Amino acid sequence: MESEQLRTLLAVVDEGSFEDAAYALGISPSAVSQRIKALETQLGRTVLIRARPALPTESGAVLMRLARQQELLRADALSELGASDGPNPSLTLVVNADSLATWALPPLARVASEHGVRVEVTREDQDHSTRGLRSGAAMAAVTSVADPVPGCSVRRLGAMPYRPMATRDFCQRWFPDGATVAALAEAPVVVFDRDDDLQHRWLRRRSRRLDPPRHLVPESTSYAWAVRLGMGWGMIPDLQRTPDLVELEPGGVVRVALYWQQWKLRSPVLDALAEAMIEAAADSLTAPPARV
């Protein structure tokens, strides 16, 4: 496998099409197609799903991890050699929305500034954030998954406590006698997206048959704002708690353990990012629960 073939595969997936990859690489679409075809012929298997956007096959995901590792190691080497005209290394990672909205941006900004790196963040629910690691799209992830993805190491970050909360007016309207099972079956709830299970995780403590009306608001700050506007109750992290919200159930906390997963790759930049994220998490998160 030639390095230009791997860089081309990476460009096609990152840019979404052969034409956009050609523009990013400064070559013709025909040259992009020839490189990908030569790579597939050499391997005897397809590496791309020809769609819009283009997606890697299972074999392509393996090669994408290799391509990103080569790109990062090359940038590290040029930096150590003092090559001022070398490319800035790129760090791709997955971070859950609530971490991104609260504690995760300051360490990312510091590493980007101090090391001159380009940071590409993909937002994903913490329960599903390892998909980027498996596909080769990301080098690291903040995730609730404790089991390491093949080829990755895991370090514990801490836990984000979430509490069922709503405005006082909402509680007076929907829960005049408290958050009873009957009231919870009728009161609307704000859910982050269709993958978000936090609200139902708490509801299942009360009854396994509850399925209240749902509003979907898929952005962390807007989600908390929707709860404060009285659209429904929701699970609010302690880091976003405000005085105008009250708990539906005192002590009804759900703690989501978070972990840092990254490729097993020795890179000064990637190591600096890991240490910065772990340090920031230690200042912002609580001790993780005994069980995930």
Side-chain angles (χ1 to χ4, degrees):
M1 292 173 290
E2 298 178 8
S3 59
E4 69 175 15
Q5 293 173 338
L6 295 177
R7 287 199 299 272
T8 303
L9 171 64
L10 196 60
V12 172
V13 176
D14 285 348
E15 301 298 328
S17 71
F18 281 48
E19 292 76 14
D20 291 338
Y23 181 82
L25 294 171
I27 60 177
S28 68
S30 175
V32 170
S33 180
Q34 290 172 11
R35 290 181 183 180
I36 297 300
K37 184 176 180 180
L39 180 60
E40 292 180 328
T41 300
Q42 184 176 348
L43 292 173
R45 63 188 69 185
T46 58
V47 298
L48 281 174
I49 300 172
R50 271 71 168 177
R52 293 193 69 91
L55 299 171
T57 63
E58 186 174 344
S59 299
V62 174
L63 296 183
M64 281 186 61
R65 289 197 295 270
L66 175 60
R68 291 197 192 279
Q69 289 170 356
Q70 286 187 351
E71 182 184 64
L72 182 59
L73 291 174
R74 178 171 177 266
D76 284 342
L78 289 172
S79 177
E80 290 184 30
L81 291 171
S84 58
D85 59 344
N88 290 333
S90 177
L91 295 176
T92 56
L93 63 154
V94 182
V95 183
N96 64 302
D98 290 335
S99 292
L100 198 60
T102 52
W103 65 270
L105 269 182
L108 288 176
R110 186 169 74 251
V111 170
S113 175
E114 293 177 354
H115 294 268
V117 299
R118 294 176 289 117
V119 176
E120 181 180 345
V121 180
T122 300
R123 188 188 65 195
E124 185 67 85
D125 181 84
Q126 63 268 1
D127 293 336
H128 303 274
S129 51
T130 57
R131 289 186 291 208
L133 293 173
R134 297 180 188 277
S135 70
M139 302 173 179
V142 176
T143 176
S144 63
V145 179
D147 295 329
V149 171
C152 292
S153 61
V154 178
R155 297 173 70 177
R156 190 168 61 182
L157 293 174
M160 289 194 76
Y162 291 79
R163 302 175 193 275
M165 307 197 78
T167 64
R168 288 179 174 81
D169 288 345
F170 184 91
C171 289
Q172 289 174 1
R173 176 184 176 184
W174 292 98
F175 304 120
D177 299 318
T180 63
V181 171
L184 287 169
E186 301 294 333
V189 58
V190 184
V191 178
F192 187 83
D193 59 25
R194 297 188 187 280
D195 290 332
D196 182 14
D197 188 50
L198 271 176
Q199 285 67 222
H200 287 82
R201 197 181 306 180
W202 179 76
L203 284 171
R204 285 193 292 270
R205 295 180 179 179
R206 311 297 299 274
S207 171
R208 293 190 173 273
R209 297 183 178 181
L210 290 174
D211 187 22
R214 296 186 297 171
H215 300 295
L216 271 65
V217 182
E219 196 279 321
S220 184
T221 302
S222 299
Y223 176 92
W225 182 234
V227 174
R228 290 198 296 272
L229 287 173
M231 286 182 65
W233 67 270
M235 300 298 291
I236 302 295
D238 283 359
L239 293 173
Q240 289 183 308
R241 184 173 182 173
T242 52
D244 55 331
L245 297 177
V246 296
E247 293 184 58
L248 303 191
E249 177 190 49
V253 62
V254 174
R255 289 182 173 84
V256 176
L258 295 178
Y259 300 85
W260 176 258
Q261 291 212 32
Q262 72 175 62
W263 290 346
K264 292 179 180 177
L265 176 69
R266 301 308 304 174
S267 161
V269 173
L270 190 56
D271 289 346
L273 177 61
E275 293 306 319
M277 295 293 282
I278 290 167
E279 179 182 345
D283 293 336
S284 303
L285 305 181
T286 67
R291 298 179 62 185
V292 178

